[in-house]
Amino acid sequence: MTTSPDLQHIVDAIRTRQRFVISSHSRPDGDSIGSQLAAAYALRALGKEVTVINADPAPPPLLQFPGVPDIMIGDRADGDFDAAIIMECGDLARTGVAGLERFFVINIDHHPGNTAYGQLNWFDAGAAACAELVFDLVRALKLPLTRDIATHIYLAILTDTGSFHFSSISPRTFDICRQLLEAGVDPVQVARDVYDSNNMGRLKLFGAVLSAMQIDPTGRIAIVYLDNEMARKAGGTYDDTEGIINLPLTVKEIQAVVFFKKTEDNQYRVSMRSKGDIDIGSIAKEFGGGGHKNAAGCTVTGPINALQKTFIEKIEEAIDGRPAHRR
Ligand code: AMP
Ligand code: MN
């Protein structure tokens, strides 16, 4: 493997430091958790002291994975650390954890538009998951790929590619996965733990949200909506919504999905997903959010009807703007 200069600097910085804090974005997903814990296990194998902290807890199914229940939840990184490793964050504020800027910041990410906020920045938008970079880091540190490390990297890749659906997948993705399986990952068990360990409230909530789903006049965009009242009636919570957004995409004609989750009066957390070449990442960016071509999000304020109209128009433009041969 050829080591990039950025990676080599990170390896050197890790070797010469002892106490690390590892953080990722608020409302962490599989790639946040997998990247953080794979790195934490690797650094501990080198004899380093590692604290993992996030602003919000992991989604419930991920609590079954090694080390996840031990992640600290807090909005401040207290204590003394020699370096902060930030995974999966385009800017430092995405962590929702204050005080990280006091340390030597190592920024490892794959989100387009990363602001290079660290003392060291290693950024690769071509990686299907941030954990692909962590894989290279583990190799560059010349550490054995333990089953726990491999499982976390696999968890991250599986979830961040939408179960191998998104266009970010490359030959490297499968080459890494091959090595992860050789290191002892059980892909059937990981898929079961991630996708088949929900509670009944979540299934009912899916039913309620899908019953209320709307389709745009061209039949290509699904619009889903959830507020607290709907969640309460269905017997689920906002924590149960992970993955709902991917379901409308299973319909052949549906090219993109936009999900509005009400957070406060007139304030909505927007998640978007798309197929193939439809770039909804730049739409999220226009509204102060971010993400990738096929998976992105932002938070918006305004009357819901006007917001839905705006997003449908933008997504229709993104669908029609693709090169004709890719449609
Ligand atoms: P989500 O819809 O929340 O699952 O997010 C999909 C993707 O977009 C993930 O890679 C997120 O990290 C990214 N993303 C979501 N919201 C934001 C935001 N406000 N700012 C930057 N990136 C975001
Ligand atoms: Mn990611």
Side-chain angles (χ1 to χ4, degrees):
M1 187 183 84
T2 53
T3 304
S4 80
D6 292 339
L7 172 53
Q8 191 53 53
H9 290 140
I10 291 175
V11 167
D12 295 342
I14 288 173
R15 289 206 185 281
T16 54
R17 289 172 172 78
Q18 180 58 25
R19 295 163 304 172
F20 294 84
V21 57
I22 304 183
S23 191
S24 186
H25 55 79
S26 52
R27 298 179 308 103
D29 58 13
D31 193 19
S32 322
I33 300 292
S35 296
Q36 286 180 284
L37 286 180
Y41 284 122
L43 266 56
R44 285 182 190 135
L46 286 174
K48 311 291 180 186
E49 294 159 42
V50 183
T51 298
V52 182
I53 182 167
N54 287 331
D56 301 302
L62 301 195
L63 290 170
Q64 304 169 86
F65 286 83
V68 180
D70 304 326
I71 294 176
M72 279 181 58
I73 311 299
D75 56 12
R76 234 205 118 66
D78 290 320
D80 273 335
F81 298 100
D82 304 318
I85 302 181
I86 315 296
M87 308 273 191
E88 269 273 280
C89 291
D91 57 68
L92 201 52
R94 279 279 287 148
T95 58
V97 177
L100 293 165
E101 70 290 342
R102 293 181 294 138
F103 311 117
F104 183 89
V105 170
I106 300 174
N107 160 18
I108 303 179
D109 185 30
H110 72 135
H111 287 92
N114 185 290
T115 57
Y117 51 85
Q119 269 77 29
L120 292 178
N121 302 284
W122 182 28
F123 164 72
D124 181 359
C130 186
E132 286 192 3
L133 305 183
V134 179
F135 177 89
D136 287 351
L137 175 64
V138 174
R139 291 295 198 211
L141 288 167
K142 305 206 178 347
L143 288 166
L145 202 54
T146 63
R147 193 180 162 143
D148 283 349
I149 292 177
T151 297
H152 275 292
I153 295 174
Y154 186 82
L155 162 69
I157 293 176
L158 177 71
T159 54
D160 234 36
T161 58
S163 320
F164 301 103
H165 273 58
F166 298 156
S167 55
S168 51
I169 299 162
S170 71
R172 173 167 70 143
T173 311
F174 286 101
D175 189 39
I176 292 172
C177 288
R178 175 185 61 76
Q179 295 179 62
L180 299 175
L181 263 60
E182 282 173 0
V185 170
D186 180 346
V188 178
Q189 191 61 47
V190 175
R192 282 252 174 93
D193 288 346
V194 174
Y195 299 115
D196 302 338
S197 59
N198 299 319
N199 58 55
M200 194 51 83
R202 179 173 145 104
L203 191 64
K204 301 266 191 210
L205 186 69
F206 274 40
V209 169
L210 292 180
S211 307
M213 177 179 73
Q214 299 172 58
I215 305 295
D216 83 308
T218 72
R220 300 175 298 179
I221 305 168
I223 304 109
V224 269
Y225 172 86
L226 180 68
D227 58 30
N228 272 310
E229 177 68 7
M230 284 169 72
R232 196 185 50 75
K233 274 194 188 146
T237 70
Y238 276 22
D239 288 341
D240 297 319
T241 55
E242 184 75 31
I244 287 190
I245 189 165
N246 295 315
L247 293 180
L249 282 185
T250 60
V251 175
K252 192 175 173 70
E253 293 75 21
I254 297 293
Q255 300 294 315
V257 185
V258 55
F259 183 7
F260 292 87
K261 222 187 291 180
K262 187 171 179 177
T263 47
E264 283 168 37
D265 268 341
N266 271 347
Q267 184 174 305
Y268 300 88
R269 158 94 209 133
V270 180
S271 284
M272 289 178 280
R273 298 290 184 274
S274 65
K275 284 179 179 164
D277 268 357
I278 302 163
D279 180 9
I280 44 85
S282 43
I283 302 176
K285 215 170 163 194
E286 253 182 73
F287 291 91
H292 311 274
K293 186 163 71 175
N294 295 142
C298 54
T299 298
V300 292
T301 311
I304 186 68
N305 287 341
L307 288 172
Q308 289 188 343
K309 188 164 173 286
T310 306
F311 276 84
I312 291 166
E313 279 169 13
K314 298 262 178 207
I315 296 170
E316 275 172 358
E317 275 170 32
I319 295 175
D320 292 331
R322 284 171 304 158
H325 68 281
R326 307 295 297 254
R327 285 183 203 167

